[in-house]
Amino acid sequence: MPSGQLSPTTAELYARHVIPTYARFPLALARGRGTRVWDEEGREYLDFTSGIAVNALGHAHPALRDAIAAQAGELVHTSNLFLTRPQALLAARLGKMTGAHGKVFLCNSGAEANEGLYKLARKNGTPRGRCEIITLDGSFHGRTLGSIAATGQIKVKLGFGPPVDGFLNVPARLECVAQAVGPRTAAIMVEPIQGEGGVRPLSADFLRALRTLCDEQGILLFYDEVQCGLGRTGDWCGWHATGAKDAVPDAISWAKGIAGGFPLGGFWVREPFADLLGPGTHGTTYGGSPLACAAANAVFDTIEKEDLLTNARERGEQLRAAVGKLPLIREVRGAGLLLGAEVEDFAPNQGEEGTPALRLTKRLISAGLLVVPAGDNTIRLLPPLNVTAAECDEAVEILGRVLADCRS
Ligand SMILES: Cc1ncc(COP(=O)(O)O)c(C=O)c1O
């Protein structure tokens, strides 16, 4: 840059060089500590997004920082041609969390984990002519071609030509799912708590009925726990929060919070299906690297050591009770620290555009609180699992002030 010329701002560089797949908020974040982040101008925000349910320990947690630094000094990556201790230990503890016998495959993201499940369903079902997967309206399963076919929302599919064959999206009602099951069905896949679709928990009866249906029909039941799994609901297993602890699935996908922000995904497959994807059937170069797995092991050690599952449940109840009393709030849904607050519509200020959830989110950002819109009328509150009671009070105070202003 010649002297005397101002360097472009971060927003200008994005506008010129980054493919505009996201309608990003014009906020350039520079650093974080715990539940707080600061932008490039030094303004402070309370971060109730956790990078969309990812930063389980908040920002810059010393245990995560130290584990990443220590592992980076030993081995960052080896490929899956070899064994590494961090992957072995992580697979063992993930398997234990499910409470059933099975095995784990590690990859890099939620969509990639789900792709593994689609392949598992087809590998199991193809010999019997079964290769279709049933998913629910309102669901979200990722952005690959397979996952946009699986996702039960038109907006993610539009403009990308013929959908990948073999996915049926049906209303989230037992009779609709049962009717859709046929001789070609290989699996049913659901999010026990739909996240992107507006934080909508499935009922315990529905999950149990799906389990029974799958057993009767000889098909597999998959839970996409990319958002609701691994502690976010105050339990390792997201489906426990629905009350149907006994409705154990045949496979589970994970990502997001698994390594506290370091990219990692994975899926678990219950016996007797765990060896179906044998040598040469599936793979990934980066997945389950020693660095990613060391990060994940540090996250789980910290959740256990600091009893963050209890904290997630208690802070979740605190937020649910307080947010439910605020003006314009219709309903608070979800479990633990996966909460969706549905708001009534309110009059836009001059120049304001978008859904009520988006307009409210922008007003909250201006007031110093970061949240995530979900659907048209719901904002998600997704603080880290170690958020304090005082930080929750502060978030509720900001939300209450902004909502009161929306109403006036
Ligand atoms: C339930 C669910 N499944 C899958 C995905 C996709 O995960 P990723 O963005 O890591 O591919 C998401 C992301 O929001 C999700 O919420």
Side-chain angles (χ1 to χ4, degrees):
M1 188 67 48
S3 64
Q5 208 172 316
L6 281 179
S7 57
T9 64
T10 302
E12 285 163 352
L13 288 169
Y14 266 74
R16 269 180 235 163
H17 304 293
V18 179
I19 294 176
T21 52
Y22 301 97
R24 296 173 204 262
F25 299 112
L27 191 64
L29 296 179
R31 67 189 178 90
R33 272 284 176 289
T35 312
R36 300 195 187 259
V37 286
W38 288 265
D39 69 14
E40 288 178 345
E41 272 78 49
R43 277 185 297 257
E44 184 179 310
Y45 301 85
L46 203 48
D47 184 2
F48 271 44
T49 69
S50 299
I52 321 185
V54 169
N55 306 312
L57 305 182
H59 298 282
H61 193 289
L64 183 57
R65 179 197 62 203
D66 293 349
I68 290 174
Q71 186 61 43
E74 299 291 335
L75 269 181
V76 169
H77 172 78
T78 57
S79 85
N80 282 298
L81 294 175
F82 307 103
L83 317 178
T84 66
R85 188 96 184 141
Q87 182 175 137
L89 294 176
L90 179 62
R93 75 197 299 173
L94 284 168
K96 204 165 151 212
M97 285 172 191
T98 66
H101 293 294
K103 289 181 184 164
V104 168
F105 178 91
L106 293 163
C107 55
N108 303 282
S109 70
E112 194 187 348
N114 285 338
E115 287 289 334
L117 296 192
Y118 312 146
K119 285 178 71 176
L120 175 78
R122 288 181 174 214
K123 193 79 170 49
N124 185 50
T126 301
R128 292 172 289 133
R130 292 179 173 274
C131 56
E132 256 172 27
I133 298 169
I134 296 173
T135 64
L136 301 182
D137 288 351
S139 61
F140 183 80
H141 298 295
R143 296 288 190 161
T144 56
L145 280 178
S147 280
I148 63 172
T151 292
Q153 299 188 47
I154 295 291
K155 67 179 185 206
V156 308
K157 305 173 193 276
L158 284 178
F160 295 105
V164 171
D165 205 14
F167 290 93
L168 277 179
N169 311 140
V170 304
R173 292 200 303 277
L174 184 61
E175 66 273 21
C176 300
V177 180
Q179 226 167 48
V181 171
R184 285 172 52 78
T185 309
I188 297 172
M189 179 160 100
V190 301
E191 292 164 83
I193 302 176
Q194 290 188 341
E196 303 296 308
V199 189
R200 297 181 187 283
L202 302 183
S203 76
D205 286 350
F206 184 53
L207 279 190
R208 285 199 186 104
L210 290 183
R211 182 64 276 177
T212 306
L213 181 64
C214 288
D215 290 341
E216 285 168 358
Q217 300 289 326
I219 58 182
L220 301 178
L221 178 63
F222 297 163
Y223 291 164
D224 177 341
E225 297 226 335
V226 166
Q227 187 154 163
C228 69
L230 300 180
R232 179 110 316 252
T233 61
D235 204 305
W236 294 124
C237 301
W239 83 88
H240 288 192
T242 68
K245 211 169 165 173
D246 48 318
V248 180
D250 299 306
I252 307 169
S253 55
W254 296 297
K256 288 202 182 274
I258 187 169
F262 199 93
L264 183 67
F267 61 89
W268 169 88
V269 183
R270 189 154 78 115
E271 299 294 359
F273 309 105
D275 289 340
L276 266 174
L277 292 174
T281 59
H282 196 54
T284 161
T285 299
Y286 288 122
S289 76
L291 188 56
C293 293
N297 284 320
V299 168
F300 295 129
D301 284 343
T302 308
I303 292 176
E304 280 165 8
K305 203 165 100 202
E306 298 181 5
D307 197 12
L308 297 184
L309 296 183
T310 304
N311 192 59
R313 284 193 296 271
E314 290 178 357
R315 298 290 72 75
E317 282 316 307
Q318 177 188 347
L319 283 168
R320 179 194 290 277
V323 172
K325 291 187 197 129
L326 297 178
L328 292 184
I329 296 292
R330 261 196 213 134
E331 188 185 19
V332 184
R333 296 183 294 268
L337 293 172
L338 172 51
L339 292 176
E342 187 175 315
V343 288
E344 285 170 29
D345 200 357
F346 57 92
N349 284 339
Q350 207 176 4
E352 262 185 346
E353 281 179 2
T355 61
L358 187 64
R359 285 185 275 121
L360 176 59
T361 300
K362 287 181 178 167
R363 290 192 190 196
L364 288 169
I365 292 175
S366 301
L369 174 64
L370 308 186
V371 300
V372 195
D376 289 350
N377 295 84
T378 301
I379 55 162
R380 262 174 296 176
L381 303 172
L382 306 167
L385 306 187
N386 54 5
V387 67
T388 64
E391 288 163 342
C392 289
D393 284 343
E394 193 182 332
V396 170
E397 188 275 318
I398 298 173
L399 185 56
R401 200 161 17 94
V402 170
L403 284 168
D405 189 52
C406 291
R407 193 170 58 175
S408 62

